[in-house]
Amino acid sequence: MSDRKPAFDLAAQGIETGAELHWNLETAPLVETSLQRGEGHLAKHGPLVVETGKHTGRSANDKFIVKDAETENTVWWGKVNVPMMPEHFAALKEDFLKAVGERETLFVQDLHGGSQPEHRVRVRVINELAWQNLFIRTMLCRPEADELGGFEPEYTIIDLPSFKADPDRHGTRSETVIAVNLSEKLILIGGTAYAGEMKKSVFGILNYLLPAKGVMPMHCSANIGPEGDTAVFFGLSGTGKTTLSADASRTLIGDDEHGWSDTAVFNFEGGCYAKMIRLSEEAEPEIYSTTRRFGTVLENVVMDPETRELDFDDSSLAENSRGAYPIDFIPNTSEDNLGPVPKNIIMLTADAFGVLPPIAKLTPDQAMYHFLSGYTAKVAGTEIGVTEPEATFSTCFGAPFMPRHPSVYGNLLKERIAKGGVNCWLVNTGWTGGKYGTGSRMPIKATRALLNAALDGSLNDAEFRTDENFGFEVPVSVPGVDDAILDPRSTWDDGTAYDETAAKLVKLFIDNFAQFEEHVDQGVREAAPTPAAA
């Protein structure tokens, strides 16, 4: 496949190796090679099934960004963005390149992060495992074959699961490392076979680069309505982001990572990375169908070794079992992986306190406030007798992947909302009639009816009231939806208990937002909730 090997090869990058190099292999050769090398197994109906070992999710505590002249004042340092000293990275790079030089076989893919040509980044990925090379080829945007000869990477990822970092020599926490050097445009991943680290590394690169160009990077799903109206769905895990954006009447742009430029909402990726645990054909038929296709990569999904039948309910390998597949495996997807700028933004939350209404309309200041807050609530854990929900605030609905200060993304969002006259909605898919343990989950039928009314514009004509705690506008009546559900306090048996719970949630919001107050303007500060009794 010499025609798929670019003129600008590894040697041109200063990477020397005696390995047999496989350049830009397509799906079938990579699957065959994975099977020949014993990296995975073919399941019934065709997907490749692999195991990632002890790492079945991201190693968030082992990720570092090199702190140097480029990043010292541009990265938001803290628990998420942990610094690595340049000298430690230099030692790590030296050892990685030595390991690359010693490998007998390597797989290289030249890909794009981002579907809109003027805002994408050229990424070269070097893998020691064929299945991981297939994964990243599936997940990123694939250049046309005739583009490969002239491909010159801007960023390079080297992923060697067999590499073990030395905490003393490399400044790491353990033998696992994800080290990002934005000056050298090099990312080194070692000690973990979880392929999602590569995908999220590219997301992090774009989250760093695009704001400087005035483009808003987003951890969200997006789709397009019949009238050409784009909707963006922000939301943390468990809030319904994938479910609600997968609508047969709307065209899917993507399920996870997007940019918002002056002219488009564009997918960063060319594939989807869906959770597989407890997947059912009845609940999610489109995603289920991808598990019966050649070209899908299934991570840590349990398979019968004889019949090759898959068991999505078995979590013995991982609770976070995953499937990677090309986006066009889902019906009704955008041909160009992009759509017009948004008409509606939906921020999803699963409020287990039972305080928030099922839908509320936000001003641009309120939208920025709730975007920076990134609120959802987890239900009680496994401890017997504990039924108290736990609030979770993940800035920008994606804090682990945002290198810059959250206010950078928040201000970009506010500017774009104001510029485009975008409608913003907060949708609660959590609890009603009481908090978790007392109330019940918001009916999906009601959520879909309210969402449809927001997207088709009819909700704009509804009568609204001002929420006494959060100050946003809540519809009083919507056709096809029980009026009572629109007023959370009225759904509780004990109004005083609602008031007490609401006051607690308001305080959690205020306490969390204290870290952002000096970075936002007065309008956003005034968008904060206030207890009704205050």
Side-chain angles (χ1 to χ4, degrees):
M1 303 293 287
S2 59
D3 59 327
R4 303 182 72 84
K5 177 186 175 182
F8 193 88
D9 59 9
L10 296 191
Q13 291 184 260
I15 300 175
E16 300 292 339
T17 181
E20 179 184 0
L21 298 176
H22 296 275
W23 284 93
N24 294 306
L25 294 185
E26 295 202 24
T27 298
L30 283 170
V31 171
E32 288 173 347
T33 306
S34 300
L35 297 173
Q36 290 165 359
R37 288 160 55 95
E39 295 177 4
H41 300 278
L42 216 56
K44 191 174 182 179
H45 306 298
L48 179 67
V49 180
V50 299
E51 296 181 16
T52 64
K54 68 175 183 176
H55 293 283
T56 60
R58 289 185 309 102
S59 300
N61 294 327
D62 294 304
K63 179 192 162 196
F64 303 89
I65 298 177
V66 177
K67 189 172 187 177
D68 56 19
E70 162 70 29
T71 59
E72 186 173 6
N73 297 316
T74 54
V75 168
W76 186 42
W77 303 106
K79 289 182 180 179
V80 171
N81 298 310
V82 179
M84 174 180 274
M85 294 299 102
E87 56 269 26
H88 281 137
F89 184 85
L92 183 69
K93 178 182 175 182
E94 179 184 338
D95 294 345
F96 252 82
L97 292 182
K98 181 182 177 185
V100 165
E102 295 170 348
R103 293 296 178 271
E104 293 182 3
T105 308
L106 290 169
F107 303 87
V108 189
Q109 287 286 335
D110 290 327
L111 301 158
H112 292 137
S115 300
Q116 191 170 11
E118 56 266 46
H119 299 305
R120 68 192 181 195
V121 63
R122 299 186 302 278
V123 182
R124 174 167 290 169
V125 185
I126 303 168
N127 297 105
E128 63 178 341
L129 296 176
W131 81 259
Q132 287 201 325
N133 204 237
L134 172 59
F135 170 92
I136 200 63
R137 182 180 189 279
T138 302
M139 290 308 306
L140 294 187
C141 300
R142 298 166 286 282
E144 296 296 328
D146 60 6
E147 295 180 82
L148 293 172
F151 191 96
E152 187 170 331
E154 296 170 270
Y155 286 79
T156 300
I157 298 172
I158 305 176
D159 192 334
L160 306 176
S162 65
F163 183 94
K164 290 181 169 54
D166 179 345
D168 290 334
R169 175 168 163 77
H170 303 136
T172 59
R173 190 185 66 94
S174 69
E175 292 183 338
T176 301
V177 63
I178 302 95
V180 180
N181 191 318
L182 291 165
S183 299
E184 295 189 28
K185 300 183 177 181
L186 178 64
I187 297 170
L188 305 175
I189 302 172
T192 172
Y194 180 67
E197 298 287 10
M198 292 183 286
K199 160 189 155 69
K200 288 304 184 187
S201 293
V202 177
F203 189 34
I205 290 170
L206 288 164
N207 284 335
Y208 181 79
L209 296 176
L210 292 181
K213 300 172 68 176
V215 177
M216 173 72 188
M218 303 177 291
H219 187 213
C220 68
S221 59
N223 63 24
I224 313 168
E227 304 300 318
D229 57 298
T230 298
V232 165
F233 298 78
F234 291 105
L236 302 174
S237 180
T239 59
K241 177 165 58 101
T242 300
T243 302
L244 291 171
S245 62
D247 183 332
S249 69
R250 297 176 67 87
T251 300
L252 182 68
I253 300 174
D255 77 329
D256 196 35
E257 303 171 3
H258 295 83
W260 179 356
S261 70
D262 287 338
T263 57
V265 167
F266 61 98
N267 195 346
F268 287 170
E269 304 181 302
C272 299
Y273 195 37
K275 284 189 176 181
M276 291 287 138
I277 194 68
R278 290 176 288 280
L279 179 70
S280 74
E281 186 173 14
E282 295 74 25
E284 296 183 272
E286 286 130 344
I287 295 176
Y288 183 86
S289 72
T290 69
T291 68
R292 303 166 74 86
R293 292 190 64 167
F294 180 83
T296 292
V297 181
L298 298 176
E299 294 177 351
N300 304 311
V301 173
V302 174
M303 180 184 71
D304 185 300
E306 301 300 326
T307 66
R308 303 297 174 98
E309 292 279 2
L310 301 169
D311 185 351
F312 298 108
D313 294 325
D314 189 334
S315 61
S316 58
L317 289 177
E319 182 71 23
N320 187 40
S321 56
R322 293 271 181 167
Y325 48 87
I327 193 169
D328 60 16
F329 278 17
I330 298 291
N332 198 28
T333 53
S334 166
E335 191 174 328
D336 298 321
N337 240 7
L338 50 79
V341 295
K343 184 176 179 182
N344 288 280
I345 287 176
I346 294 94
M347 298 185 188
L348 299 166
T349 181
D351 176 29
F353 290 94
V355 169
L356 295 178
I359 195 166
K361 190 168 188 178
L362 306 177
T363 66
D365 283 328
Q366 289 169 339
M368 182 173 173
Y369 183 92
H370 286 276
F371 178 71
L372 289 175
S373 297
Y375 166 72
T376 193
K378 295 178 181 177
V379 297
T382 55
E383 192 175 340
I384 295 171
V386 177
T387 58
E388 188 67 17
E390 179 186 343
T392 299
F393 295 95
S394 183
T395 304
C396 308
F397 295 98
F401 321 116
M402 303 295 177
R404 296 183 184 271
H405 192 278
S407 62
V408 172
Y409 308 104
N411 282 316
L412 256 176
L413 181 71
K414 184 181 170 185
E415 288 166 15
R416 292 213 164 271
I417 289 170
K419 184 178 179 181
V422 183
N423 294 312
C424 299
W425 309 92
L426 183 70
V427 172
N428 174 23
T429 61
W431 271 254
T432 182
K435 62 185 178 183
Y436 172 79
T438 304
S440 57
R441 194 74 191 250
M442 197 72 70
I444 185 69
K445 187 177 178 182
T447 301
R448 284 202 179 277
L450 291 167
L451 189 56
N452 289 339
L455 296 181
D456 69 21
S458 60
L459 193 55
N460 290 319
D461 299 325
E463 179 188 350
F464 287 85
R465 66 174 177 84
T466 301
D467 184 87
E468 61 273 20
N469 293 295
F470 284 83
F472 41 48
E473 299 294 300
V474 180
V476 174
S477 180
V478 178
V481 178
D482 181 0
D483 288 355
I485 208 172
L486 296 168
D487 181 5
R489 192 177 190 276
S490 72
T491 66
W492 285 50
D493 292 334
D494 184 343
T496 302
Y498 170 87
D499 293 338
E500 291 172 354
T501 306
K504 177 181 178 181
L505 181 59
V506 165
K507 186 176 187 305
L508 290 170
F509 264 88
I510 291 170
D511 290 349
N512 172 72
F513 203 81
Q515 62 185 309
F516 305 124
E517 284 190 342
E518 64 181 271
H519 301 283
V520 299
D521 60 32
Q522 186 63 25
V524 178
R525 288 194 288 270
E526 290 175 356
T530 53

